[in-house]
Amino acid sequence: MSVPAVDPEIQTLLDTADTGVFPVYGLDAVLADPQRYALLRARPDTPVDDQVKVRDLYVPGPGGQLRLRVYRPDIPEDLPMILYVHGGAYTYGSPEAEEGRSLRYARDARAVVVSVDYRLAPEHPYPAAADDAYAALTWIAANPAELGGDPARIAVAGGSAGGNIAASTVLRARDQAGPHVLFQSLTYPGVDAGLTTASAREFTDTPVLNRAALELAVRYYAKDSHAAPYASPIRAADFSGLPPTYIAVAEIDPLRDEGRDYAARLSAAGVTTELVQVPGAVHGFDLLFPQARISERNLTDQVRALREALHP
């Protein structure tokens, strides 16, 4: 399989990137060194949006106190709620690291966004992050008044590793008769810890996420649980009864094909599923390079899907 050409604007941004401690090439070297990936756990400076109020809540979680970062538009009515799960190869990241996306979802999808600060691997392998995310979902569904939220309109969203954990959370809610999830939005999700797709095997040296980094991330998180459906959502025996789903994949991404395969499995089970493949995009394009035209188009599309689902 030949690797497609990177979008010219994204390529220019990659060539001139100053992303601090995050490398746009050679993520595997960072993940192999605890001192280096620890730097990616630091909470960065965050953007400000005067239309969205931001606060932290601390709720009981399976590993102790669980932090939820809440983004609420200044709208005087009960709003739909979005549980958001950040990415970071299961190993780093925070709600603050993806605050731009959470603010955008809150403001433009007119929703309360709750971003869960889940426990990270390798110190806390599966099922720690999945348990934390599910605990967050059950808490927001049981305490909507604390958020000014509408418990009848809940979506779950996440990207990359967060897309895995988001999909796991939605599966578990169905399996355990948990909170009703109206919609899920998965952005370049990792849903197969076995790394068996063609893109995972053959896109070995792609920007931002390469094969070796993906192998480390999955080893840290899933360890011996690759076949468990809440670690590899694509391994679920049954996809029926899941909520309508939006999946966006990046064309030049080892995770591309598992996102496409997951969309196909959902569709085959009768789940209304929208799949978007962003041409010329690399993993994390909309977070790392939101100023690029393909990023803005896809961010607008993510918001459109959430808003249509939550404000029918």
Side-chain angles (χ1 to χ4, degrees):
M1 179 190 296
S2 60
V3 179
V6 175
D7 172 83
E9 188 178 9
I10 293 288
Q11 186 63 62
T12 297
L13 292 166
L14 285 166
D15 292 343
T16 58
D18 179 10
T19 54
V21 296
F22 184 86
V24 295
Y25 295 99
L27 179 60
D28 53 314
V30 173
L31 293 186
D33 183 348
Q35 290 187 321
R36 294 185 68 185
Y37 64 65
L39 297 175
L40 297 178
R41 297 178 175 182
R43 299 177 190 174
D45 294 336
T46 53
V48 175
D49 188 320
D50 59 10
Q51 298 178 58
V52 180
K53 296 178 179 178
V54 183
R55 64 188 175 112
D56 287 338
L57 289 176
Y58 295 86
V59 304
Q65 197 174 57
L66 181 62
R67 183 171 72 102
L68 306 178
R69 193 157 172 86
V70 180
Y71 306 81
R72 195 187 195 287
D74 192 12
I75 299 172
E77 62 188 65
D78 287 346
L79 296 173
M81 298 184 286
I82 301 170
L83 175 66
Y84 184 72
V85 190
H86 71 79
Y90 309 103
T91 310
Y92 61 86
S94 63
E96 287 84 351
E98 299 185 14
E99 191 133 304
R101 188 188 270 173
S102 293
L103 289 168
R104 179 77 172 264
Y105 284 2
R107 184 188 69 232
D108 293 351
R110 294 172 58 87
V112 181
V113 175
V114 180
S115 185
V116 55
D117 192 13
Y118 58 86
R119 288 169 290 169
L120 298 172
E123 298 93 333
H124 302 284
Y126 172 84
D131 287 349
D132 287 349
Y134 189 68
L137 175 66
T138 58
W139 190 90
I140 68 173
N143 297 275
E146 295 261 0
L147 305 166
D150 178 357
R153 292 182 292 164
I154 297 176
V156 177
S160 190
N164 171 296
I165 299 162
S168 166
T169 300
V170 173
L171 277 172
R172 192 184 299 199
R174 181 203 63 181
D175 294 347
Q176 300 181 7
H180 175 66
V181 177
L182 194 64
F183 188 73
Q184 65 177 335
S185 176
L186 310 175
T187 309
Y188 34 78
V191 290
D192 183 2
L195 306 182
T196 58
T197 66
S199 62
R201 291 194 313 269
E202 300 179 33
F203 287 4
T204 58
D205 199 27
T206 42
V208 181
L209 181 65
N210 56 12
R211 166 76 190 200
L214 190 53
E215 289 175 346
L216 282 168
V218 167
R219 187 187 315 155
Y220 288 160
Y221 179 62
K223 294 188 181 291
D224 298 323
S225 302
H226 293 166
Y230 300 152
S232 291
I234 205 164
R235 308 292 181 92
D238 177 19
F239 296 93
S240 63
L242 292 172
T245 301
Y246 172 91
I247 297 178
V249 299
E251 184 180 27
I252 306 159
D253 182 352
L255 296 178
R256 182 194 68 191
D257 291 350
E258 56 200 80
R260 299 198 306 198
D261 291 350
Y262 199 57
R265 299 280 183 92
L266 292 168
S267 293
V271 176
T272 299
T273 305
E274 180 178 0
L275 172 66
V276 175
Q277 179 170 299
V278 182
V282 301
H283 190 83
F285 67 101
D286 57 323
L287 292 173
L288 289 171
F289 308 115
Q291 70 272 41
R293 282 169 290 185
I294 63 170
S295 300
E296 175 55 34
R297 281 200 300 271
N298 188 249
L299 280 164
T300 298
D301 200 44
Q302 293 170 36
V303 167
R304 184 267 313 160
L306 286 163
R307 186 160 179 162
E308 287 178 355
L310 295 171
H311 297 276

